[in-house]
Amino acid sequence: MAQDLRGALVGFCNPLLDISAVVDDNLLSEYGLKANDAIMADEKHLPLFQTLIDKYDAKFLPGGSAQNTLRGAQLLLPEGSAVFFGAVGKDENAQRLKGAADEAKLRTNYMVHPDKPTGTCALLITGHNRSMVANLSAAEKYDFSHVKAPENWKDIEAARFYYITGFFFAVSPDTIEAVAKHAHENNKTFTMNLSAPFVAEFFTAQVEKTLPYINILFGNETEAEALSKALRFDTSDIKQIAKRVADKPRAGSRPRLVIFTQGASSTVVASSDSDEVRVYGVKPVPHEEIGDTNGAGDAFVAGFLAEYLQNKPIDICIEAGHWLGGQVVRQVGPNYPEGELKFVPSGTFAPAVERV
């Protein structure tokens, strides 16, 4: 009998409308940006958004890291499996975001701020790299009072899996703490993503406070290195970082899984209940088929969670993540292919196993 997954997955992040454009290195230099990074906009970055619209072939795309992830997961899951929380304005951009979610059959539970515009994210594409500059606006006004309202908390109680990005530490740490503790107290699965290097750098205390409750932690290699530095591990070896994070103290007896992607190179997986670290090769996407890499990490988590919710083995979850990430890098922007998406395990996908 198939599982009942209605409302099983709840996610939190900043819903943002992406303004995406292919640019040159001069624009990055003008605004002090790196080619492959994610930052919050400050005063000097605000003109950038209009510059992309006025001077470049800008495209408007539905975004926000966890909303992208839950859209992808929902495309692979039975209708009604996922619910997304975040804050938006009462404007056309909010309707664009909701429309994209509706197309994927993703249910949204937005906190609406009528006096703030919906947040935006500038995506500057150079080659296969992307630099992200987020202007949160309404998104940063998400408040714990929204989720703790009885009509909204019932979604938390109904869910069995939770996914929150590290970006949310800057917005509503109270929400993260409440959901993490609820998951722990009710033997549910709480997952997070490091999201960007600045999260580990500037929110170290919050990361350390939350880590005991995290059952699965996602990140990429640069985020892993930033976390290693923040936790004073004194190593840049991704496998060692993954294992040391997995072995950090836990609030309960459930093992912790740490998953670090490394683009087209490999994915590293460590667990607190094993001395071995698994390294999964990535099937490369032909260069001529690549649109850009924006959204690949979000798609990886989407593929992983879609299989994990269905109790599939970790090898299959990782393979699904690689597959869906590969689908997204063939698009321009954080988009999923049109038409039905269906993952079929190869039956031959297996990691190299190492001790660290």
Side-chain angles (χ1 to χ4, degrees):
M1 181 182 294
Q3 293 178 266
D4 182 1
L5 292 175
R6 284 175 294 182
L9 174 63
V10 166
F12 289 82
C13 189
N14 305 318
L16 306 173
L17 186 71
D18 290 343
I19 304 173
S20 176
V22 176
V23 304
D24 54 34
D25 291 336
N26 291 333
L27 188 63
L28 297 182
S29 298
E30 181 180 346
Y31 285 94
L33 302 173
K34 298 176 183 177
N36 203 19
D37 200 6
I39 66 168
M40 298 293 189
D42 59 29
E43 198 70 29
K44 72 179 181 183
H45 297 118
L46 296 183
L48 171 63
F49 296 84
Q50 195 61 44
T51 297
L52 291 179
I53 295 170
D54 292 343
K55 297 184 178 181
Y56 294 86
D57 183 21
K59 293 179 173 60
F60 294 88
L61 306 167
S65 179
Q67 188 164 246
N68 287 339
T69 291
L70 264 66
R71 277 197 301 127
Q74 182 58 78
L75 287 169
L76 297 171
L77 289 167
E79 185 173 341
S81 297
V83 185
F84 175 78
F85 281 76
V88 297
K90 191 174 184 179
D91 54 22
E92 186 178 359
N93 286 346
Q95 292 305 310
R96 286 172 172 150
L97 289 176
K98 188 176 187 308
D102 289 346
E103 285 182 14
K105 310 299 184 186
L106 170 64
R107 182 159 69 86
T108 54
N109 193 332
Y110 291 144
M111 183 178 193
V112 179
H113 287 276
D115 58 341
K116 283 278 189 180
T118 296
T120 51
C121 183
L123 297 177
L124 287 72
I125 311 299
T126 52
H128 295 152
N129 295 316
R130 62 94 180 99
S131 186
M132 302 169 60
V133 184
N135 182 20
L136 299 183
S137 199
E140 68 180 343
K141 298 300 181 182
Y142 188 87
D143 190 80
F144 178 50
S145 62
H146 178 258
V147 70
K148 75 176 181 181
E151 66 271 21
N152 297 325
W153 189 254
K154 68 182 181 181
D155 284 335
I156 305 303
E157 293 180 330
R160 305 197 298 276
F161 304 87
Y162 308 91
Y163 176 66
I164 306 182
T165 65
F167 295 128
F168 219 57
F169 280 122
V171 173
S172 187
D174 289 347
T175 298
I176 295 175
E177 181 177 0
V179 173
K181 288 184 175 179
H182 170 83
H184 168 62
E185 291 164 1
N186 292 276
N187 197 32
K188 299 177 179 182
T189 302
F190 182 73
T191 73
M192 285 200 74
N193 200 313
L194 292 173
S195 299
F198 77 81
V199 172
E201 181 179 357
F202 295 114
F203 297 94
T204 308
Q206 292 93 324
V207 172
E208 289 190 284
K209 181 180 179 180
T210 309
L211 189 56
Y213 300 100
I214 298 176
N215 302 120
I216 306 177
L217 180 67
F218 299 95
N220 64 28
E221 70 273 33
T222 56
E223 295 154 6
E225 289 176 7
L227 183 62
S228 177
K229 184 176 180 181
L231 298 180
R232 300 181 178 85
F233 283 170
D234 194 30
T235 181
S236 59
D237 184 288
I238 302 302
K239 290 173 286 198
Q240 290 187 20
I241 297 168
K243 181 55 181 163
R244 291 183 67 174
V245 174
D247 289 343
K248 293 285 283 183
R250 291 169 286 128
S253 59
R254 294 182 62 177
R256 177 184 299 125
L257 205 63
V258 177
I259 303 171
F260 291 147
T261 58
Q262 300 179 98
S265 173
S266 63
T267 296
V268 172
V269 179
S271 177
S272 58
D273 65 352
S274 174
D275 291 334
E276 298 175 336
V277 172
R278 289 169 281 178
V279 181
Y280 295 84
V282 177
K283 183 178 180 180
V285 175
H287 187 273
E288 64 275 11
E289 295 182 17
I290 296 176
D292 66 62
T293 58
N294 182 42
D298 298 336
F300 170 84
V301 178
F304 181 97
L305 289 177
E307 296 301 309
Y308 191 83
L309 263 65
Q310 299 175 83
N311 297 317
K312 300 296 176 61
I314 296 301
D315 287 358
I316 289 179
C317 296
I318 296 291
E319 185 179 16
H322 286 179
W323 169 78
L324 193 55
Q327 299 299 309
V328 167
V329 300
R330 289 175 166 89
Q331 316 300 311
V332 175
N335 288 315
Y336 294 97
E338 294 183 2
E340 184 181 3
L341 279 176
K342 184 175 179 59
F343 167 68
V344 179
S346 66
T348 59
F349 187 74
V353 178
E354 302 179 25
R355 289 183 180 271
V356 296

